[in-house]
Amino acid sequence: MINTFGTLCLIWLVLWLMLTLVLRAFYPLLRPGLFRLHPAHGSNLLLLLWSAPFVLSLMTTLLLLLPTLGGLLLEPHCHGNCAPHVPTTSTSILAWTGFGLAVAAAIGLLWHFLAGLLRGVRMRRQFDALSSRESGYRLLDAEEPAVFTLGWWRPRVYVSSGLLSGCSSEELAIILVHEQAHRRRRDNLRILIGRVFCLVLPGAWRQIVVHDLHLLCEESCDFAAARDYGSLSVAQALVQIGRVLRRSTAPLQGVAFDGSDLHARVHALLRLDSRRLLNYRQVVTLLVVAALSVVLAVEPLHHGAEWVIGVLEYNMITGH
């Protein structure tokens, strides 16, 4: 049992890493297309894109566990026994290595996710104790200008008294619409999940992906404010409030209206009508392509795994 399970764990990890590296190689080509979409759709697609290596590798590997179903997807072949079978190593070292690495990877992902959740919960409790309830937000008695959203499933908007004294009533209204959009979209949770799925990437690459996700989330909320106040008014508010907030400190576990990527966000607002929405057919096409990729990958993955296992076992036996 452990030989089969450990082999499948090893297959999943190798496939996950390979798909991630392939996606990273092609990401510079895909990135401009993401920023031509409406940011609400672009942020969703970006999150799905970087979760795809993990999910698709897991789904494809699980299909190898179903010999009967696999018989529909595999050409008949024998290894002394023509019954449907799962790729399995007879070497315990390989099996336990695959099992151990899979457990370590699963624990690492879960640890980062839960640790992020816990930090966010603690920070929200702290800011709740330091703030008072107002209409649509919580007011912090602090001279430093700040506005941010904290929380995962029921986020809350926090505004400092220093910000209130430094902006007009219209600018405050635009900020609140922007932050309420973060609440509805649960962008804190979206960015945390994106960080977790990108943990397998080296730090510099991971920073690029998380930055793109954060920018698309900010643009999406800017566009939400533009529906009520117009793109020009929101762009002007971004410039004005961005100057005030640039020096303020934002919570690490919250989405803050901090004036980051100001040029890109203003440019996006001024070209709001050029950003395209994904239509129903495009979404269905993407899902069909993903499903077909999983199905078509079963046979080459099965035979490739058997070949690699054979080579490794031969080298371990012969000492080469």
Side-chain angles (χ1 to χ4, degrees), residues 38-319:
H38 189 285
H41 287 188
S43 59
N44 290 336
L45 187 58
L46 178 59
L47 185 59
L48 290 174
L49 193 64
W50 283 100
S51 66
F54 178 90
V55 175
L56 295 181
S57 61
L58 184 60
M59 292 174 60
T60 306
T61 305
L62 288 176
L63 284 178
L64 297 178
L65 266 175
L66 306 172
T68 302
L69 179 60
L72 302 175
L73 306 176
L74 296 170
E75 290 292 332
H77 64 287
C78 297
H79 300 283
N81 180 1
C82 288
H85 58 279
V86 177
T88 304
T89 180
S90 58
T91 306
S92 297
I93 295 177
L94 284 178
W96 280 106
T97 299
F99 177 74
L101 290 175
V103 170
I107 291 176
L109 293 178
L110 185 61
W111 172 263
H112 279 83
F113 181 69
L114 294 179
L117 287 181
L118 183 59
R119 284 196 299 269
V121 169
R122 287 175 175 172
M123 292 186 70
R124 202 180 82 165
R125 288 176 179 173
Q126 291 173 352
F127 280 103
D128 280 350
L130 297 172
S131 63
S132 58
R133 188 187 302 273
E134 298 290 336
S135 178
Y137 64 94
R138 295 188 68 88
L139 177 64
L140 287 167
D141 186 15
E143 295 183 1
E144 183 181 14
V147 55
F148 51 88
T149 301
L150 279 177
W152 306 113
W153 292 276
R154 296 180 181 178
R156 294 175 183 170
V157 178
Y158 298 83
V159 181
S160 71
S161 56
L163 180 77
L164 292 179
S165 62
C167 66
S168 67
S169 58
E170 183 180 21
E171 290 168 346
L172 176 61
I174 290 173
I175 290 173
L176 292 179
V177 172
H178 175 101
E179 295 299 326
Q180 293 297 336
H182 279 310
R183 286 187 59 189
R184 291 192 305 272
R185 288 166 44 86
R186 294 183 175 87
D187 280 333
N188 287 336
L189 188 60
R190 185 190 305 265
I191 292 174
L192 176 60
I193 293 173
R195 289 181 182 276
V196 170
F197 278 124
C198 291
L199 283 174
V200 70
L201 291 171
W205 293 358
R206 182 168 62 250
Q207 186 176 0
I208 292 173
V209 176
V210 174
H211 169 267
D212 287 349
L213 180 58
H214 182 271
L215 176 56
L216 286 168
C217 289
E218 290 296 333
E219 288 182 353
S220 181
C221 296
D222 292 339
F223 281 27
R227 287 197 298 267
D228 295 336
Y229 292 92
S231 57
L232 184 59
S233 295
V234 176
Q236 291 173 339
L238 276 177
V239 173
Q240 176 61 29
I241 301 171
R243 292 170 182 167
V244 176
L245 296 176
R246 192 175 296 275
R247 299 177 183 177
S248 65
T249 302
L252 297 178
Q253 295 299 314
V255 178
F257 194 109
D258 59 0
S260 62
D261 297 300
L262 187 61
H263 177 77
R265 291 168 63 184
V266 170
H267 183 72
L269 281 166
L270 297 180
R271 300 187 61 188
L272 184 151
D273 294 336
S274 67
R275 303 291 282 267
R276 298 181 291 106
L277 293 167
L278 285 173
N279 58 46
Y280 175 78
R281 291 182 179 178
Q282 291 171 319
V283 173
V284 171
T285 300
L286 288 173
L287 294 176
V288 170
V289 169
L292 286 176
S293 299
V294 170
V295 171
L296 294 176
V298 172
E299 181 171 0
L301 181 61
H302 181 102
H303 293 297
E306 289 181 335
W307 180 80
V308 172
I309 290 170
V311 171
L312 292 175
E313 290 179 342
Y314 175 79
N315 289 336
M316 293 179 70
I317 293 172
T318 59

